[in-house]
C-alpha cells in the first residue's frame, strides 16, 4: 500500500468513515454533494475523484481496476480512516466491489447502485458509442445521456427549456479526460472477485435503468454472500434524478450498519 498514490479527494466531517465513489463522467462533488452535506455531521466523509475527474490526473495507461481499488484504500488511509462504509454509483459500484473483495477488513458495509459483474456485448457497444460521441461532439453525448440515464417519470415531466438545461449540464461535465473511465467500463469482469466480498451489502437497482439494466444488479446481489437487493423507480442517474430518495436509502442503510457495528 505504501506505493499507492492517493486519489485527489474531498474530505469533511468527523466520526466513523464513509467513502463515496462516483460514476463515469461525474466527480465527487457532482455525484455526492447533497449526501456529503447530509452525512458530515456524524461521519468522516471521503469522496475520491477517479482518474480524469476533479484534480486527479488521467492515467497514462489503461486504468487497472485492482490498482484503482488499492488507491481508494490509500485515499481513505490518507484521510485517517482504517475502516469505512463504502458507497458506489455505476462504475463507482464496480470499484467499490473490487475494494471490498481486495480489502475485506477495511469495509464496514457496502452500498452498490447501478453496478454490474461483467460488461457484456451490449454494454461494450454502448460504451464504445459514448467514446465516439465524446471525441466527436460532447453535446451529442450529453443528449444521448439525458435520454438514457434518466427515468421515464422525470423525462415525461420536462419541457423544452428543461431538456436544454439538462443537456447543457451534462455537456459541462464531459471532456476527453474521462475516456479512460469509459475504456475501463468496457472491460469490467468481477466474476473472480464478488465471491470474496464479506461486508454486509445492499445492492440497489433502478427499475428503469437503460444503461445498466436491473438484471445486472440482481446478478451482482446473487453473487455476493447474503447481499440485500432493493429495486426502486427511476433511471441510471438516480443520484441526480431523485437525490432525496436515493440518499435516504443510503443514509438509512449506513446508519443501521453503523449501529450494528458498534454493538
Amino acid at each position: 500500500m505504501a506505493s499507492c498514490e492517493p486519489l485527489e479527494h474531498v474530505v469533511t466531517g468527523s466520526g466513523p468513515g464513509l467513502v463515496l465513489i462516483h460514476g463515469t463522467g461525474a466527480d465527487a462533488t457532482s455525484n455526492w454533494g447533497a449526501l456529503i452535506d447530509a452525512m458530515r455531521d456524524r461521519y468522516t466523509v471521503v469522496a475520491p475523484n477517479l482518474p480524469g475527474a476533479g484534480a486527479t490526473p488521467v492515467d497514462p495507461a489503461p486504468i487497472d481496476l485492482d490498482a484503482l481499488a488499492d488507491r481508494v484504500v490509500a485515499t481513505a488511509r490518507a484521510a485517517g480512516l482504517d475502516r469505512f462504509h463504502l458507497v458506489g454509483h455505476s462504475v463507482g459500484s464496480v470499484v467499490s466491489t473490487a475494494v471490498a473483495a481486495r480489502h475485506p477488513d477495511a469495509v464496514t458495509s457496502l452500498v452498490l447502485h447501478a453496478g454490474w459483474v461483467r460488461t457484456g456485448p451490449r454494454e461494450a457497444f454502448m460504451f464504445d458509442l459514448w467514446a465516439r460521441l465524446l471525441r466527436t461532439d460532447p453535446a451529442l453525448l450529453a443528449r444521448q445521456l439525458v435520454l438514457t440515464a434518466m427515468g421515464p417519470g422525470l423525462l415525461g415531466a420536462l419541457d423544452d427549456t428543461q431538456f436544454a438545461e439538462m443537456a447543457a449540464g451534462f455537456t459541462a461535465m464531459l471532456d476527453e479526460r474521462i475516456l479512460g473511465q469509459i475504456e475501463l467500463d468496457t472491460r469490467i469482469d468481477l466474476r473472480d472477485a464478488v465471491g470474496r466480498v464479506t461486508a454486509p451489502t445492499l445492492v440497489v437497482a433502478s427499475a428503469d435503468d437503460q444503461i445498466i439494466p436491473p438484471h445486472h444488479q440482481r446478478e451482482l446481489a446473487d453473487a455476493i454472500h447474503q447481499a440485500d437487493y432493493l429495486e426502486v423507480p427511476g433511471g441510471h442517474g438516480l443520484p441526480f434524478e431523485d437525490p432525496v430518495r436515493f440518499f435516504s436509502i443510503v443514509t438509512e442503510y449506513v446508519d443501521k450498519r453503523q449501529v450494528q457495528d458498534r454493538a
Side-chain angles (χ1 to χ4, degrees), residues 48 52 55 104 113 144 150 184 215:
H113 174 250
Q144 198 265 352
M150 299 304 169
L184 173 63
H215 70 85

PDB file of all heavy atoms in Angstrom, residues 48 52 55 104 113 144 150 184 215:
ATOM      1  N   PRO A  48     -13.337  10.303  -3.203  1.00  0.00           N
ATOM      2  CA  PRO A  48     -12.235  10.420  -4.165  1.00  0.00           C
ATOM      3  C   PRO A  48     -12.731  10.801  -5.555  1.00  0.00           C
ATOM      4  O   PRO A  48     -13.870  10.498  -5.939  1.00  0.00           O
ATOM      5  CB  PRO A  48     -11.633   9.006  -4.186  1.00  0.00           C
ATOM      6  CG  PRO A  48     -12.229   8.285  -3.022  1.00  0.00           C
ATOM      7  CD  PRO A  48     -13.553   8.927  -2.772  1.00  0.00           C
ATOM      8  N   GLY A  52      -8.988  11.285 -14.138  1.00  0.00           N
ATOM      9  CA  GLY A  52      -9.670  12.092 -15.128  1.00  0.00           C
ATOM     10  C   GLY A  52     -10.799  12.934 -14.565  1.00  0.00           C
ATOM     11  O   GLY A  52     -11.425  13.702 -15.304  1.00  0.00           O
ATOM     12  N   ALA A  55      -9.249  16.915  -9.683  1.00  0.00           N
ATOM     13  CA  ALA A  55      -7.827  17.196  -9.891  1.00  0.00           C
ATOM     14  C   ALA A  55      -6.987  15.929  -9.975  1.00  0.00           C
ATOM     15  O   ALA A  55      -5.758  16.003  -9.959  1.00  0.00           O
ATOM     16  CB  ALA A  55      -7.307  18.091  -8.761  1.00  0.00           C
ATOM     17  N   PRO A 104     -11.144  -6.749   2.561  1.00  0.00           N
ATOM     18  CA  PRO A 104     -12.364  -7.006   3.347  1.00  0.00           C
ATOM     19  C   PRO A 104     -12.309  -6.451   4.758  1.00  0.00           C
ATOM     20  O   PRO A 104     -13.358  -6.074   5.308  1.00  0.00           O
ATOM     21  CB  PRO A 104     -12.468  -8.541   3.340  1.00  0.00           C
ATOM     22  CG  PRO A 104     -11.091  -9.026   3.018  1.00  0.00           C
ATOM     23  CD  PRO A 104     -10.507  -7.996   2.114  1.00  0.00           C
ATOM     24  N   HIS A 113     -25.039   0.947  -6.144  1.00  0.00           N
ATOM     25  CA  HIS A 113     -26.140   1.336  -7.019  1.00  0.00           C
ATOM     26  C   HIS A 113     -25.697   1.258  -8.473  1.00  0.00           C
ATOM     27  O   HIS A 113     -24.644   1.770  -8.841  1.00  0.00           O
ATOM     28  CB  HIS A 113     -26.611   2.763  -6.730  1.00  0.00           C
ATOM     29  CG  HIS A 113     -27.648   3.224  -7.702  1.00  0.00           C
ATOM     30  ND1 HIS A 113     -27.412   4.199  -8.647  1.00  0.00           N
ATOM     31  CD2 HIS A 113     -28.921   2.804  -7.912  1.00  0.00           C
ATOM     32  CE1 HIS A 113     -28.496   4.383  -9.377  1.00  0.00           C
ATOM     33  NE2 HIS A 113     -29.431   3.557  -8.957  1.00  0.00           N
ATOM     34  N   GLN A 144     -27.619  12.151 -25.634  1.00  0.00           N
ATOM     35  CA  GLN A 144     -27.863  10.709 -25.532  1.00  0.00           C
ATOM     36  C   GLN A 144     -27.977  10.281 -24.065  1.00  0.00           C
ATOM     37  O   GLN A 144     -28.829   9.456 -23.706  1.00  0.00           O
ATOM     38  CB  GLN A 144     -26.731   9.952 -26.245  1.00  0.00           C
ATOM     39  CG  GLN A 144     -27.058   8.521 -26.602  1.00  0.00           C
ATOM     40  CD  GLN A 144     -26.562   7.531 -25.553  1.00  0.00           C
ATOM     41  OE1 GLN A 144     -25.844   7.886 -24.635  1.00  0.00           O
ATOM     42  NE2 GLN A 144     -26.948   6.275 -25.711  1.00  0.00           N
ATOM     43  N   MET A 150     -31.787   9.063 -17.461  1.00  0.00           N
ATOM     44  CA  MET A 150     -32.901   9.484 -16.631  1.00  0.00           C
ATOM     45  C   MET A 150     -34.121   8.596 -16.868  1.00  0.00           C
ATOM     46  O   MET A 150     -34.340   8.083 -17.957  1.00  0.00           O
ATOM     47  CB  MET A 150     -33.251  10.945 -16.921  1.00  0.00           C
ATOM     48  CG  MET A 150     -32.101  11.900 -16.628  1.00  0.00           C
ATOM     49  SD  MET A 150     -31.503  11.740 -14.915  1.00  0.00           S
ATOM     50  CE  MET A 150     -29.991  12.705 -14.992  1.00  0.00           C
ATOM     51  N   LEU A 184     -12.341   1.749 -19.195  1.00  0.00           N
ATOM     52  CA  LEU A 184     -12.432   0.780 -18.096  1.00  0.00           C
ATOM     53  C   LEU A 184     -13.808   0.121 -18.079  1.00  0.00           C
ATOM     54  O   LEU A 184     -13.921  -1.102 -17.884  1.00  0.00           O
ATOM     55  CB  LEU A 184     -12.161   1.480 -16.767  1.00  0.00           C
ATOM     56  CG  LEU A 184     -12.380   0.642 -15.496  1.00  0.00           C
ATOM     57  CD1 LEU A 184     -11.426  -0.545 -15.459  1.00  0.00           C
ATOM     58  CD2 LEU A 184     -12.215   1.506 -14.248  1.00  0.00           C
ATOM     59  N   HIS A 215     -31.215  -6.472 -14.339  1.00  0.00           N
ATOM     60  CA  HIS A 215     -30.739  -7.859 -14.251  1.00  0.00           C
ATOM     61  C   HIS A 215     -29.266  -7.912 -13.862  1.00  0.00           C
ATOM     62  O   HIS A 215     -28.811  -8.886 -13.245  1.00  0.00           O
ATOM     63  CB  HIS A 215     -31.004  -8.620 -15.554  1.00  0.00           C
ATOM     64  CG  HIS A 215     -30.164  -8.204 -16.723  1.00  0.00           C
ATOM     65  ND1 HIS A 215     -28.899  -8.717 -16.948  1.00  0.00           N
ATOM     66  CD2 HIS A 215     -30.418  -7.342 -17.744  1.00  0.00           C
ATOM     67  CE1 HIS A 215     -28.411  -8.176 -18.052  1.00  0.00           C
ATOM     68  NE2 HIS A 215     -29.297  -7.347 -18.556  1.00  0.00           N
TER      69      HIS A 215
END
